[in-house]
Amino acid sequence: MHVLVLGGTTEARALAESLHARGERVTTSLAGRVAAPRLPRGQVRIGGFGGAEGLAAWLREHQVDVLIDVTHPFAGTISFNAAHAANRAHVPLLALRRPGWIPVAGDDWHPVDSLAQAAERLPSLGRRVFLTTGRMGLACFAHLDDLWFLVRSVDPPEQPHPARMRVLLDRGPFTLDGERALLADHAVDVLVTKDSGAAATSPKLTAARDAGIPVVVVRRPPVPEDVPTVAGVEEALAWVTALG
């Protein structure tokens, strides 16, 4: 069975590893937005397909039997392209979507629908911002000259970006003690994050709650609603097994 995993997440790597260990032929597709991605076992391709039609052609050309969408919750249009391509190529499609974060007592969350809306809210919430939304989209915050930003990303950001900014190149998983230290050392008074739902990056939410710091949370974009969906790797493996 040839399984194409649309990856770029921790769950995608774990799924590819498990499928490969079971003897399945696995190809993981990465968008190529990270300079040095962590590669799973099996075959790996990097770069786009050329939209939904390009993906459908790739599925047919490489005789893919199963397509599994394990992309980041904020990967954009790829999930819609996957649904369209799977339908055109008559290939079973599964989506593995990690659950989003849920606020608990003591959280001071400010949900928004986009990075642009997050930028609008910031001046009323704080002056020293811990921005954990990655290097893409920094242009939305470039006009906020009165605010200071600590930007954490895997790769260096490009212009345009905020003028008053310090860049921290790092990738998860992050520890609670480490996140607490970052907030204290840089006198952060507001956090901005996307609702990625990853356990590896959730300690920042606990650290913000403990420090009484408001958190601007960017909601997830819409995804296709008519695609079979699971929340974890084991469920995805069971789904593949059931296909025979």
Short mmCIF file of all heavy atoms in Angstrom, two decimals, residues 2 4 25 27 43 45 49 53-64:
data_model
loop_
_atom_site.label_atom_id
_atom_site.label_comp_id
_atom_site.label_asym_id
_atom_site.label_seq_id
_atom_site.Cartn_x
_atom_site.Cartn_y
_atom_site.Cartn_z
N HIS A 2 0.63 2.16 -0.92
CA HIS A 2 1.38 3.42 -0.98
C HIS A 2 0.57 4.51 -0.28
O HIS A 2 -0.53 4.87 -0.72
CB HIS A 2 1.66 3.82 -2.43
CG HIS A 2 2.54 5.03 -2.55
ND1 HIS A 2 2.74 5.71 -3.73
CD2 HIS A 2 3.30 5.68 -1.63
CE1 HIS A 2 3.56 6.73 -3.53
NE2 HIS A 2 3.91 6.73 -2.26
N LEU A 4 0.45 8.41 1.02
CA LEU A 4 1.01 9.74 0.94
C LEU A 4 0.56 10.52 2.17
O LEU A 4 -0.64 10.69 2.41
CB LEU A 4 0.56 10.47 -0.31
CG LEU A 4 1.00 11.94 -0.42
CD1 LEU A 4 2.53 12.06 -0.44
CD2 LEU A 4 0.41 12.60 -1.67
N ARG A 25 4.61 1.31 2.16
CA ARG A 25 5.36 2.29 1.39
C ARG A 25 4.81 3.67 1.74
O ARG A 25 3.63 3.93 1.50
CB ARG A 25 5.24 2.03 -0.10
CG ARG A 25 5.98 3.05 -0.97
CD ARG A 25 5.66 2.84 -2.44
NE ARG A 25 6.21 3.91 -3.25
CZ ARG A 25 5.87 4.16 -4.51
NH1 ARG A 25 4.96 3.38 -5.11
NH2 ARG A 25 6.40 5.16 -5.18
N THR A 27 5.27 7.92 1.59
CA THR A 27 5.88 9.15 1.10
C THR A 27 5.33 10.30 1.92
O THR A 27 4.11 10.46 2.04
CB THR A 27 5.58 9.40 -0.38
OG1 THR A 27 6.06 8.30 -1.16
CG2 THR A 27 6.25 10.68 -0.86
N GLN A 43 10.11 7.70 2.09
CA GLN A 43 10.39 8.69 1.07
C GLN A 43 9.88 10.06 1.49
O GLN A 43 8.87 10.18 2.18
CB GLN A 43 9.75 8.27 -0.26
CG GLN A 43 10.27 6.95 -0.80
CD GLN A 43 9.52 6.51 -2.04
OE1 GLN A 43 8.30 6.44 -2.05
NE2 GLN A 43 10.26 6.20 -3.10
N ARG A 45 9.22 14.09 -0.14
CA ARG A 45 9.23 15.08 -1.23
C ARG A 45 8.99 16.44 -0.60
O ARG A 45 8.25 16.58 0.38
CB ARG A 45 8.16 14.77 -2.29
CG ARG A 45 6.74 14.99 -1.81
CD ARG A 45 5.73 14.86 -2.94
NE ARG A 45 5.99 15.77 -4.02
CZ ARG A 45 5.63 17.05 -4.02
NH1 ARG A 45 5.04 17.58 -2.95
NH2 ARG A 45 5.89 17.81 -5.06
N PHE A 49 2.45 21.01 -4.96
CA PHE A 49 2.00 20.14 -6.05
C PHE A 49 1.45 20.92 -7.23
O PHE A 49 1.18 20.35 -8.28
CB PHE A 49 0.91 19.19 -5.54
CG PHE A 49 1.39 18.16 -4.56
CD1 PHE A 49 1.29 18.39 -3.20
CD2 PHE A 49 1.92 16.96 -5.00
CE1 PHE A 49 1.72 17.44 -2.28
CE2 PHE A 49 2.35 16.00 -4.10
CZ PHE A 49 2.25 16.23 -2.74
N GLU A 53 -5.40 20.23 -8.59
CA GLU A 53 -5.27 19.42 -9.80
C GLU A 53 -3.88 18.78 -9.89
O GLU A 53 -3.74 17.63 -10.32
CB GLU A 53 -5.55 20.26 -11.04
CG GLU A 53 -6.99 20.72 -11.17
CD GLU A 53 -7.97 19.56 -11.24
OE1 GLU A 53 -7.60 18.50 -11.76
OE2 GLU A 53 -9.11 19.73 -10.78
N GLY A 54 -2.86 19.54 -9.47
CA GLY A 54 -1.51 18.98 -9.47
C GLY A 54 -1.38 17.84 -8.48
O GLY A 54 -0.70 16.83 -8.76
N LEU A 55 -2.01 17.97 -7.33
CA LEU A 55 -1.98 16.89 -6.34
C LEU A 55 -2.72 15.66 -6.87
O LEU A 55 -2.26 14.53 -6.70
CB LEU A 55 -2.60 17.37 -5.03
CG LEU A 55 -2.73 16.33 -3.91
CD1 LEU A 55 -1.41 15.65 -3.61
CD2 LEU A 55 -3.30 16.97 -2.64
N ALA A 56 -3.86 15.88 -7.50
CA ALA A 56 -4.61 14.75 -8.06
C ALA A 56 -3.78 14.00 -9.10
O ALA A 56 -3.76 12.76 -9.14
CB ALA A 56 -5.91 15.24 -8.68
N ALA A 57 -3.07 14.76 -9.94
CA ALA A 57 -2.21 14.13 -10.95
C ALA A 57 -1.08 13.34 -10.29
O ALA A 57 -0.73 12.25 -10.75
CB ALA A 57 -1.64 15.20 -11.88
N TRP A 58 -0.52 13.88 -9.21
CA TRP A 58 0.56 13.19 -8.50
C TRP A 58 0.05 11.89 -7.89
O TRP A 58 0.73 10.86 -7.92
CB TRP A 58 1.13 14.10 -7.42
CG TRP A 58 2.52 13.74 -6.97
CD1 TRP A 58 3.69 14.26 -7.41
CD2 TRP A 58 2.87 12.76 -5.96
NE1 TRP A 58 4.76 13.67 -6.76
CE2 TRP A 58 4.28 12.75 -5.87
CE3 TRP A 58 2.13 11.91 -5.15
CZ2 TRP A 58 4.96 11.92 -4.98
CZ3 TRP A 58 2.82 11.06 -4.27
CH2 TRP A 58 4.21 11.08 -4.20
N LEU A 59 -1.14 11.92 -7.33
CA LEU A 59 -1.73 10.72 -6.74
C LEU A 59 -1.88 9.61 -7.79
O LEU A 59 -1.57 8.45 -7.54
CB LEU A 59 -3.09 11.04 -6.13
CG LEU A 59 -3.12 11.99 -4.94
CD1 LEU A 59 -4.57 12.30 -4.55
CD2 LEU A 59 -2.37 11.41 -3.75
N ARG A 60 -2.35 10.00 -8.97
CA ARG A 60 -2.53 9.01 -10.03
C ARG A 60 -1.19 8.52 -10.56
O ARG A 60 -0.98 7.31 -10.74
CB ARG A 60 -3.37 9.60 -11.16
CG ARG A 60 -4.84 9.85 -10.79
CD ARG A 60 -5.65 10.22 -12.01
NE ARG A 60 -5.27 11.54 -12.50
CZ ARG A 60 -5.93 12.66 -12.20
NH1 ARG A 60 -6.99 12.61 -11.41
NH2 ARG A 60 -5.54 13.82 -12.69
N GLU A 61 -0.27 9.45 -10.81
CA GLU A 61 1.03 9.09 -11.40
C GLU A 61 1.82 8.15 -10.50
O GLU A 61 2.50 7.24 -10.98
CB GLU A 61 1.83 10.36 -11.68
CG GLU A 61 3.22 10.09 -12.26
CD GLU A 61 4.02 11.37 -12.47
OE1 GLU A 61 3.44 12.46 -12.26
OE2 GLU A 61 5.21 11.26 -12.82
N HIS A 62 1.76 8.37 -9.19
CA HIS A 62 2.56 7.58 -8.25
C HIS A 62 1.75 6.47 -7.58
O HIS A 62 2.20 5.87 -6.61
CB HIS A 62 3.17 8.50 -7.19
CG HIS A 62 4.19 9.44 -7.75
ND1 HIS A 62 3.84 10.64 -8.34
CD2 HIS A 62 5.54 9.36 -7.84
CE1 HIS A 62 4.94 11.26 -8.75
NE2 HIS A 62 5.98 10.51 -8.46
N GLN A 63 0.56 6.23 -8.12
CA GLN A 63 -0.27 5.10 -7.67
C GLN A 63 -0.44 5.09 -6.15
O GLN A 63 -0.19 4.10 -5.48
CB GLN A 63 0.34 3.78 -8.16
CG GLN A 63 0.43 3.68 -9.67
CD GLN A 63 1.01 2.37 -10.15
OE1 GLN A 63 1.79 1.72 -9.44
NE2 GLN A 63 0.65 1.96 -11.35
N VAL A 64 -0.88 6.23 -5.64
CA VAL A 64 -1.12 6.37 -4.21
C VAL A 64 -2.44 5.68 -3.86
O VAL A 64 -3.45 5.87 -4.52
CB VAL A 64 -1.17 7.85 -3.80
CG1 VAL A 64 -1.62 8.00 -2.35
CG2 VAL A 64 0.21 8.48 -4.01
#
